[in-house]
C-alpha cells in the first residue's frame, strides 16, 4: 500500500467518525425536538379549541342573561318573546324553551336534523352535524316573571364554524388530523376508518409518551398525542411522521452533506499536506536515488527545510557527496595505479586500442616498450616494501621525464604519463609499459629504450640507501608484432624475457623465434624448484695455477646443473633465473657449504695450502645473509678462514654501496678473502678498489683474449697489473687459453693463471688430480 493511502486510511476515519457522531446525535436531538414540538403543537391546538369553545360559552351566557333581563317572559308570551329575541340575534342557530317536565313551550330557528354525534360539554353539549359542522347547545333554567318562581329551561344552539374550519385547515395545511372524542371515547367524525381507529381506546389524559411508537392509518404513519379540552371532551392529534421525518431527514441530509464535504475537504487538505510534507520529498529522494544508481549525481540542495525531512535531505546529500568521492576513488583505482599515479593496464590497453585506430588513418607505426626492473624482487624482499615502493615511484618519475624529452612524441605537455600520443603505465609489480605512436621506424623506439636505460642507470636515493638498478626492455611494433593491444603486449613481454636472459640491462626487439626460449625459461624455472632436493646440482672446480710462488692448491668453484632431461645446463642460463626468483639464496648457501666440505676433505687428505674461491651473486650480497652461512661452514668444517675466498662483481657492489661495504668488512673480519671478479668489464673504478676491502683482482677474460694481437688490450692489462701491485692485491688472469697468453702474463708477474690452457672446470677429484700431476711435472722440470 502506498504511503499516502496508508496515511489517509488512518486519518480519514479519525475525521469522519466524529462528524458522523455529531450528525447522529444531532439527528436524535432533532427527533426528540420534533416530538416535543408536536406536543407543543397539540397544546396550542387544544388551547385554541378550548378558547373557541369557552368563547361560545361566554356568548351563550350573555344571550341567556339578555333574554332574562330584557324580555318579559311568561307562559303566554313566551313564543313571541323568543321569536323576537331570536330575530334580533342571528348568531343563534336555534333557541327553544321547555318546561321542567320537558314539554316544549316555544321554538325558533331550524332543527339540527343531520347530527352525527352529540356529547355533553361541561356547560352545554357539543354537536357535530353532517353538513354544517360543530354546534354547542347550552341549557339553562330561566325564572318566569308571571307565576311564582316557576322556571323554564332555555336551550340555545350556537354554531361554531371556526372550530370545523380550524380542524379542516389544520388537516389541509399541515396534514395534522384533529379528532374530538367524548368521555366514552366515541370520536366526533364521519370518517369510518378514524372511528375504527379510536374504537376501543378509552379516554385518558396525555396518554402519549415521548417515545411512543407511531400508528398506521390511511397507509401513513402518525404520531398520536392526546389532550383534554374540557371535562367531557378530549382531543386526539395525529401528526404525520412524514412531517417529523422530513424535517429530521432534511437536517440529517444537510449534516451528512456537511460531514461528507468536511471529510472530502479534510482528505484533500490531508492529501496535499502529506504530499507536500512527506510523499513528494520521498518521491524526490527516490528519483535522486535512481539518478545515483544511474551514475548521475545531482545535488539534493532544493530541500532546504528545517524539519526531519530537511535533516534527512542534508544527510542524503552528504551520503551522495561521499558516494561521489568514493566513486571517483574507485574510478581512480580502476584506471590508475595508486602508487605511481600512472595509468594501469586497463587504461593502457584502451589507449593502445585508440592509437591503433588512429594509426590506421595516419599510417604510422606503434611501439610497445615493456620493461621490467632487474632484481627488483630482492630490493623489495631485502630492504622492505617501503623502499621498494619509493623506488617504483621514483622509477615512474624518471620514465615520465623520458617521454617528456622524447622529441618526436612529446610536443604537448603530458599529464599523468599521457600526452595523447604516448603513455606510460604500470602493469603491476616492477613492470612498466610505454606506448609510442607516430613512429616511423623501430630505431626511434630503440632511442627511447636507450634513454630509459640511461636514466635508470643513475643512482636512486631512497631513504638511507643509494640504490642502483637496471631494467630489461622488450619492444614490439604495430602492426608487425601483433594486431591487438593484448598481442602487442605479449610480444613485448616475450622480448623483455629475451633481454633478461641476455644478461639484463638491455633491450630487445620482438621476433617470432623468441617464443621458444621464453617457454623454455618458464619450464626451467619450475623444474629448478626441486633440483636441489633431487641433488641435480654439482660443483666443478677450476684450478688457479700459481706462478713463481710456493705450490698451492687454489680453485674456483663453478656450478653445474645436471638436468634430468636437458643434460648439463650452463650457469649462465640458470643463475639469472635463480636470481630472479630468489632461489639463488638457497643455491648460493649450498655452494658455500659444498665448497667448505670439499676443502675439509682435501685438508683431511693432507693437502697443504688449499684455497677455494666461491662466486657470490649480487643478489646474495645485497639482499641475502651470506655471512651467517660462511661463519657456520667455517666452524662446521674446521677450516682456516684464509682457505676461503668469495668472488664478487662490480655490479654487485654498486647496487647498495653502504650495505656492501659493511657486509664485506664483516666477511673480511672473519679472515675470509675477497676477490673482485670480471675486473675491467664494468666501471673498473679506482674508487671501488679503495672503498672495498679487496684482496684479489680477477682480470676478465675479455682482456686476456687478444693480448697477443691487440696492443690496446695489452696496455689495459699492464695498467691493471701495476695498479694491483701498487695496491698490494693478488692478481688472477681468467680465460688463459694459449701459451702466448701465459707467457705475457708470466713476464708481467701475474700471481695466478686460470684458464683452459691448464684446466677446464671439472669435478673435485679430477681437479686435484690436475695439480698432483702438474706439480710432479713441475718438480721434474725443477730437478
Ligand atoms: P665467472 O665467475 O667469470 O666464471 C668463469 C667462467 O669462465 C666459467 O664459466 C668458466 O668455465 C669460464 N672459463 C674459465 N676458463 C676459461 C677459458 O680458458 N676459456 C673460456 N672460454 N672460458 C673459460 P661458467 O662455468 O660457464 O660460469 C659462468 C658464470 O656463471 C661464472 O662466471 C659466474 O659468474 C657464474 N657462476 C658459476 N658458478 C657460480 C656459482 O656457484 N655461484 C654464482 N653466483 N655464480 C656462478
Ligand atoms: Ca668467478
Ligand atoms: Ca670471472
Amino acid at each position: 500500500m502506498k504511503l499516502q493511502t496508508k496515511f489517509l486510511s488512518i486519518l480519514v476515519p479519525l475525521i469522519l467518525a466524529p462528524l458522523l457522531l455529531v450528525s447522529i446525535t444531532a439527528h436524535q436531538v432533532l427527533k426528540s425536538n420534533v416530538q416535543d414540538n408536536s406536543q407543543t403543537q397539540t397544546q396550542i391546538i387544544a388551547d385554541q379549541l378550548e378558547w373557541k369553545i369557552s368563547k361560545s360559552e361566554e356568548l351563550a351566557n350573555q344571550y341567556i342573561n339578555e333574554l332574562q333581563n330584557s324580555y318579559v317572559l311568561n307562559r303566554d308570551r313566551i313564543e313571541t318573546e323568543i321569536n323576537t329575541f331570536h330575530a334580533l340575534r342571528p348568531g343563534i342557530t336555534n333557541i327553544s324553551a321547555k318546561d321542567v317536565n320537558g314539554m316544549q313551550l316555544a321554538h325558533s330557528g331550524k332543527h339540527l336534523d343531520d347530527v352525527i354525534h352529540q356529547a355533553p360539554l361541561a356547560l352545554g353539549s357539543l354537536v357535530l352535524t353532517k353538513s354544517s359542522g360543530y354546534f354547542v347547545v347550552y341549557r339553562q333554567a330561566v325564572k318566569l316573571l308571571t307565576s311564582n318562581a316557576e322556571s323554564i329551561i332555555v336551550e340555545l344552539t350556537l354554531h361554531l364554524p371556526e372550530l370545523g374550519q380550524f380542524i379542516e385547515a389544520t388537516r389541509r395545511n399541515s396534514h395534522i388530523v384533529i379528532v374530538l372524542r367524548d368521555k366514552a371515547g366515541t370520536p366526533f367524525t364521519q370518517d369510518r376508518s378514524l372511528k375504527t381507529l379510536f374504537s376501543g381506546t378509552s379516554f385518558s389524559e396525555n396518554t402519549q409518551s415521548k417515545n411512543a411508537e407511531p400508528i398506521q392509518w390511511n397507509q401513513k404513519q402518525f404520531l398520536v398525542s392526546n389532550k383534554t379540552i374540557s371535562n367531557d371532551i378530549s382531543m386526539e392529534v395525529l401528526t404525520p411522521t412524514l412531517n417529523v421525518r422530513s424535517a429530521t431527514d432534511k437536517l440529517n441530509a444537510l449534516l451528512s452533506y456537511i460531514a461528507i464535504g468536511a471529510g472530502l475537504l479534510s482528505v484533500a487538505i490531508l492529501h496535499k499536506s502529506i504530499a507536500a510534507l512527506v510523499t513528494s520529498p520521498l518521491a524526490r529522494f527516490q528519483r535522486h536515488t535512481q539518478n545515483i544508481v544511474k551514475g548521475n549525481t545531482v545535488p539534493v540542495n532544493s530541500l532546504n527545510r528545517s524539519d526531519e525531512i530537511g535533516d534527512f535531505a542534508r544527510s542524503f546529500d552528504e551520503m551522495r557527496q561521499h558516494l561521489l568521492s568514493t566513486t571517483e576513488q574507485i574510478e581512480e583505482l580502476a584506471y590508475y595505479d595508486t602508487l605511481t599515479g600512472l595509468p594501469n593496464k586497463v587504461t593502457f590497453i584502451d589507449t593502445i586500442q585508440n592509437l591503433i585506430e588512429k594509426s590506421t588513418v595516419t599510417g604510422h607505426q606503434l611501439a610497445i616498450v615493456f620493461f621490467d626492473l632487474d632484481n627488483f624482487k630482492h630490493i623489495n624482499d631485502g630492504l622492505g616494501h617501503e623502499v621498494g615502493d619509493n623506488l617504483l615511484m621514483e622509477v615512474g618519475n624518471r620514465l615520465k621525464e623520458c617521454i617528456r624529452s622524447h622529441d618526436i612524441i612529446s610536443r604537448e605537455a603530458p599529464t599523468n604519463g599521457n600526452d595523447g600520443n604516448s603513455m606510460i603505465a604500470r602493469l603491476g609489480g616492477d613492470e612498466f609499459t610505454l606506448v609510442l605512436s607516430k613512429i616511423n621506424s623501430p630505431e626511434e623506439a630503440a632511442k627511447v629504450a636507450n634513454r630509459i636505460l640511461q636514466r635508470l642507470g643513475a643512482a636512486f636515493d631512497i631513504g638511507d640507501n643509494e640504490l642502483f638498478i637496471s631494467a630489461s626492455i622488450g619492444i614490439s611494433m604495430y602492426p608487425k608484432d601483433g594486431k591487438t593491444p593484448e598481442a602487442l603486449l605479449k610480444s613485448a613481454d616475450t622480448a623483455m624475457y629475451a633481454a633478461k636472459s641476455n644478461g639484463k640491462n638491455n633491450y630487445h626487439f620482438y621476433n617470432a623465434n623468441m617464443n621458444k626460449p621464453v617457454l623454455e625459461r618458464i619450464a626451467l624455472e619450475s623444474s629448478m624448484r626441486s633440483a636441489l632436493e633431487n641433488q641435480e646440482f654439482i660443483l666443478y672446480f677450476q684450478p688457479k695455477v700459481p706462478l713463481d710462488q710456493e705450490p698451492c692448491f687454489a680453485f674456483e668453484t663453478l656450478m653445474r646443473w645436471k638436468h634430468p632431461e636437458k643434460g648439463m645446463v650452463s650457469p649462465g642460463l640458470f643463475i639469472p633465473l635463480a636470481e630472479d626468483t630468489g632461489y639463488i639464496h638457497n643455491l648460493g648457501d649450498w655452494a658455500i657449504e659444498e665448497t667448505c666440505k670439499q676443502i675439509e676433505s682435501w685438508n683431511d687428505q693432507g693437502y697443504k695450502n688449499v684455497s677455494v674461491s666461491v662466486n657470490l651473486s649480487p643478489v646474495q650480497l645485497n639482499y641475502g645473509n651470506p655471512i651467517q652461512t660462511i661463519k657456520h661452514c667455517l666452524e662446521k668444517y674446521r677450516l682456516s678462514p684464509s682457505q676461503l675466498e668469495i668472488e664478487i662483481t662490480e655490479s654487485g657492489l654498486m647496487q647498495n654501496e653502504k650495505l656492501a661495504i659493511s657486509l664485506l668488512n664483516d666477511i673480511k673480519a672473519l679472515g675470509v678473502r675477497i676477490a673482485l671478479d670480471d675486473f675491467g668489464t664494468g666501471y673498473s673504478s679506482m674508487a671501488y678498489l679503495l672503498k672495498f676491502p679487496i684482496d684479489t683482482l680477477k682480470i676478465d677474460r675479455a682482456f686476456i683474449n687478444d693480448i697477443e694481437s691487440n696492443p690496446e688490450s695489452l696496455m689495459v692489462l699492464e695498467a691493471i697489473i701495476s695498479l694491483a701491485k701498487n695496491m698490494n692485491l693478488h692478481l688472477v688472469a681468467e680465460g688463459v687459453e694459449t701459451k702466448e697468453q701465459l707467457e705475457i702474463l708470466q713476464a708481467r708477474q701475474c700471481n695466478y693463471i686460470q684458464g683452459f690452457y691448464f684446466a677446464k672446470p671439472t669435478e673435485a677429484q679430477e681437479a686435484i688430480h690436475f695439480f698432483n700431476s702438474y706439480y710432479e711435472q713441475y718438480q721434474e722440470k725443477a730437478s
Side-chain angles (χ1 to χ4, degrees):
M1 201 195 278
K2 290 259 184 192
L3 209 56
Q4 198 139 7
T5 324
K6 276 188 188 167
F7 272 124
L8 290 178
S9 69
I10 295 167
L11 289 174
V12 166
L14 284 181
I15 296 164
L16 288 186
L19 281 174
L20 281 176
L21 202 70
V22 165
S23 94
I24 289 168
T25 319
H27 174 76
Q28 286 302 330
V29 170
L30 201 75
K31 197 173 152 190
S32 83
N33 267 357
V34 166
Q35 274 169 356
D36 283 353
N37 231 16
S38 94
Q39 277 184 344
T40 317
Q41 211 175 359
T42 308
Q43 182 64 50
I44 291 167
I45 292 171
D47 286 350
Q48 289 201 19
L49 288 183
E50 234 173 319
W51 182 77
K52 282 186 199 323
I53 290 168
S54 72
K55 260 280 182 234
S56 72
E57 232 177 72
E58 271 173 30
L59 194 64
N61 272 333
Q62 191 194 324
Y63 284 147
I64 288 174
N65 281 342
E66 280 173 10
L67 183 69
Q68 193 154 21
N69 297 336
S70 315
Y71 291 83
V72 185
L73 290 175
N74 57 49
R75 268 198 179 246
D76 308 327
R77 279 183 57 88
I78 200 145
E79 182 87 51
T80 330
E81 293 286 334
I82 292 282
N83 278 330
T84 316
F85 177 74
H86 189 210
L88 291 171
R89 286 166 187 85
I92 298 169
T93 307
N94 66 43
I95 182 164
S96 60
K98 287 173 183 173
D99 68 7
V100 285
N101 299 322
M103 264 290 286
Q104 186 163 304
L105 301 176
H107 182 85
S108 173
K110 68 172 185 153
H111 286 285
L112 301 178
D113 40 15
D114 53 352
V115 171
I116 296 164
H117 190 77
Q118 182 159 12
L121 200 63
L123 291 167
S125 70
L126 190 65
V127 179
L128 175 64
T129 63
K130 203 180 237 175
S131 53
S132 322
Y134 288 93
F135 294 84
V136 176
V137 182
Y138 288 96
R139 226 177 256 122
Q140 200 169 322
V142 173
K143 278 211 168 111
L144 289 179
L145 290 176
T146 48
S147 62
N148 294 339
E150 189 189 355
S151 294
I152 55 162
I153 306 296
V154 175
E155 211 174 76
L156 208 71
T157 304
L158 294 178
H159 192 198
L160 293 177
E162 302 97 332
L163 194 64
Q165 277 162 14
F166 177 75
I167 289 173
E168 273 304 306
T170 314
R171 186 162 182 176
R172 209 171 42 243
N173 299 332
S174 320
H175 303 286
I176 294 172
V177 179
I178 301 168
V179 180
L180 299 176
R181 296 170 84 186
D182 64 12
K183 209 166 187 175
T186 317
F188 281 71
T189 179
Q190 298 186 73
D191 193 321
R192 279 179 184 277
S193 60
L194 269 179
K195 272 186 183 156
T196 357
L197 185 71
F198 291 111
S199 68
T201 57
S202 66
F203 179 83
S204 66
E205 201 173 329
N206 289 333
T207 44
Q208 199 221 336
S209 74
K210 269 196 173 176
N211 295 319
E213 282 302 307
I215 58 152
Q216 194 74 29
W217 176 70
N218 227 356
Q219 286 147 7
K220 282 178 193 156
Q221 278 195 334
F222 292 88
L223 278 174
V224 185
S225 53
N226 175 293
K227 184 79 192 160
T228 308
I229 295 171
S230 70
N231 285 342
D232 307 314
I233 304 295
S234 77
M235 176 189 73
E236 305 284 346
V237 177
L238 277 75
T239 316
T241 52
L242 206 70
N243 282 357
V244 181
R245 277 277 169 83
S246 74
T248 53
D249 282 356
K250 260 183 210 158
L251 198 73
N252 207 18
L254 187 71
L255 281 174
S256 303
Y257 289 139
I258 291 173
I260 290 168
L264 287 176
L265 194 69
S266 320
V267 168
I269 292 170
L270 265 176
H271 187 280
K272 274 261 168 213
S273 42
I274 292 170
L277 289 172
V278 185
T279 48
S280 68
L282 284 180
R284 253 162 78 184
F285 285 131
Q286 197 196 4
R287 280 200 303 279
H288 279 301
T289 317
Q290 280 168 348
N291 276 344
I292 290 172
V293 169
K294 285 178 197 151
N296 173 11
T297 46
V298 193
V300 197
N301 50 16
S302 42
L303 268 175
N304 221 346
R305 278 165 47 168
S306 56
D307 57 5
E308 288 85 342
I309 294 274
D311 292 344
F312 180 58
R314 281 180 282 282
S315 313
F316 190 88
D317 203 48
E318 275 167 29
M319 189 189 77
R320 182 193 60 82
Q321 277 165 3
H322 183 72
L323 202 71
L324 206 67
S325 68
T326 317
T327 314
E328 276 166 8
Q329 278 171 10
I330 289 171
E331 260 170 34
E332 188 76 19
L333 283 177
Y335 300 110
Y336 290 92
D337 168 48
T338 39
L339 184 67
T340 58
L342 291 173
N344 64 10
K345 189 169 182 174
V346 176
T347 317
F348 188 67
I349 286 190
D350 261 12
T351 308
I352 304 179
Q353 187 59 53
N354 286 338
L355 293 175
I356 286 177
E357 282 158 19
K358 273 192 205 166
S359 70
T360 48
V361 181
T362 61
H364 281 111
Q365 298 183 51
L366 288 185
I368 310 294
V369 181
F370 193 118
F371 55 97
D372 183 287
L373 300 181
D374 298 328
N375 299 333
F376 174 75
K377 180 183 161 28
H378 309 297
I379 294 176
N380 220 18
D381 293 351
L383 302 178
H385 289 252
E386 203 179 322
V387 173
D389 285 352
N390 289 335
L391 179 64
L392 288 174
M393 282 194 271
E394 267 308 301
V395 168
N397 290 338
R398 285 197 195 174
L399 291 175
K400 285 179 205 165
E401 287 166 23
C402 284
I403 11 178
R404 233 169 255 156
S405 52
H406 179 43
D407 40 357
I408 310 165
I409 316 163
S410 212
R411 299 246 185 266
E412 304 128 61
T415 48
N416 253 351
N418 178 14
D419 63 0
N421 291 324
S422 60
M423 176 190 265
I424 309 169
R426 180 175 170 228
L427 295 199
D430 58 342
E431 289 178 346
F432 292 84
T433 45
L434 167 59
V435 57
L436 306 171
S437 71
K438 298 193 180 168
I439 289 253
N440 295 312
S441 70
E443 284 70 40
E444 287 174 13
K447 256 163 93 180
V448 178
N450 260 326
R451 200 198 313 273
I452 290 170
L453 290 177
Q454 234 176 36
R455 282 295 287 130
L456 293 185
F460 286 87
D461 281 314
I462 309 289
D464 290 342
N465 306 284
E466 193 184 33
L467 301 176
F468 286 85
I469 53 155
S470 58
S472 301
I473 302 183
I475 306 170
S476 65
M477 301 294 297
Y478 172 82
K480 183 173 75 70
D481 302 330
K483 299 274 185 287
T484 64
E486 290 79 9
L488 285 166
L489 263 181
K490 192 164 175 277
S491 301
D493 190 16
T494 306
M496 185 276 290
Y497 264 104
K500 270 227 185 298
S501 306
N502 235 311
K504 306 175 178 172
N505 198 22
N506 61 56
Y507 67 85
H508 256 266
F509 277 93
Y510 174 79
N511 68 57
N513 304 330
M514 265 171 187
N515 286 317
K516 206 178 151 212
V518 169
L519 290 175
E520 271 175 10
R521 189 183 148 101
I522 291 166
L524 212 59
E525 201 180 296
S526 74
S527 61
M528 193 167 62
R529 284 182 229 283
S530 52
L532 256 182
E533 269 173 46
N534 298 342
Q535 298 179 323
E536 289 168 17
F537 293 104
I538 56 161
L539 278 189
Y540 273 17
F541 293 81
Q542 187 175 29
K544 291 184 287 187
V545 179
L547 297 178
D548 303 324
Q549 52 180 301
E550 268 196 25
C552 65
F553 300 89
F555 306 91
E556 177 187 1
T557 59
L558 294 159
M559 207 182 285
R560 298 290 179 264
W561 180 7
K562 284 186 171 166
H563 195 278
E565 288 151 25
K566 297 185 194 306
M568 201 66 92
V569 181
S570 149
L573 247 174
F574 70 80
I575 295 283
L577 208 59
E579 286 176 340
D580 283 352
T581 57
Y583 191 64
I584 191 71
H585 297 292
N586 301 347
L587 210 54
D589 285 350
W590 173 83
I592 294 169
E593 172 130 28
E594 280 298 301
T595 304
C596 293
K597 206 196 249 175
Q598 187 55 56
I599 299 172
E600 183 197 37
S601 159
W602 281 325
N603 285 345
D604 291 350
Q605 288 170 43
Y607 290 101
K608 299 274 179 272
N609 298 331
V610 175
S611 70
V612 184
S613 61
V614 59
N615 290 288
L616 208 65
S617 146
V619 172
Q620 275 174 284
L621 183 74
N622 288 296
Y623 315 109
N625 195 1
I627 185 116
Q628 289 301 325
T629 317
I630 294 169
K631 237 173 159 173
H632 167 77
C633 292
L634 289 177
E635 279 169 23
K636 186 174 173 189
Y637 299 105
R638 295 167 289 121
L639 307 185
S640 157
S642 63
Q643 289 190 283
L644 190 67
E645 188 173 51
I646 57 151
E647 294 190 9
I648 49 163
T649 57
E650 273 181 303
S651 68
L653 296 177
M654 275 176 60
Q655 290 182 13
N656 191 345
E657 272 190 25
K658 268 193 202 161
L659 189 92
I661 292 173
S662 95
L663 187 79
L664 291 182
N665 280 331
D666 290 348
I667 293 174
K668 178 88 178 169
L670 291 176
V672 173
R673 299 167 59 81
I674 294 161
L676 191 57
D677 204 357
D678 303 343
F679 191 75
T681 56
Y683 290 82
S684 309
S685 138
M686 269 283 287
Y688 280 119
L689 296 176
L690 293 169
K691 267 190 227 170
F692 295 99
I694 310 284
D695 300 291
T696 307
L697 269 191
K698 294 190 78 175
I699 307 169
D700 192 73
R701 189 155 58 88
F703 298 97
I704 311 294
N705 248 345
D706 56 353
I707 36 171
E708 314 103 299
S709 54
N710 188 348
E712 270 177 31
S713 286
L714 190 63
M715 263 170 66
V716 174
L717 176 79
E718 283 175 341
I720 293 174
I721 289 174
S722 77
L723 183 71
K725 296 277 173 217
N726 286 333
M727 292 184 75
N728 223 0
L729 301 172
H730 278 240
L731 208 57
V732 180
E734 287 188 300
V736 179
E737 291 182 353
T738 64
K739 198 160 188 273
E740 291 74 37
Q741 290 166 353
L742 174 68
E743 280 165 358
I744 292 170
L745 291 160
Q746 223 163 8
R748 284 161 182 80
Q749 290 159 344
C750 187
N751 303 104
Y752 294 89
I753 302 295
Q754 181 183 353
F756 294 172
Y757 175 74
F758 284 118
K760 289 192 170 178
T762 54
E763 288 187 36
Q765 193 73 25
E766 215 176 305
I768 198 82
H769 180 71
F770 159 79
F771 269 123
N772 284 335
S773 46
Y774 174 76
Y775 286 126
E776 268 174 31
Q777 284 173 28
Y778 183 77
Q779 275 158 7
E780 272 172 25
K781 263 189 199 166
S783 60

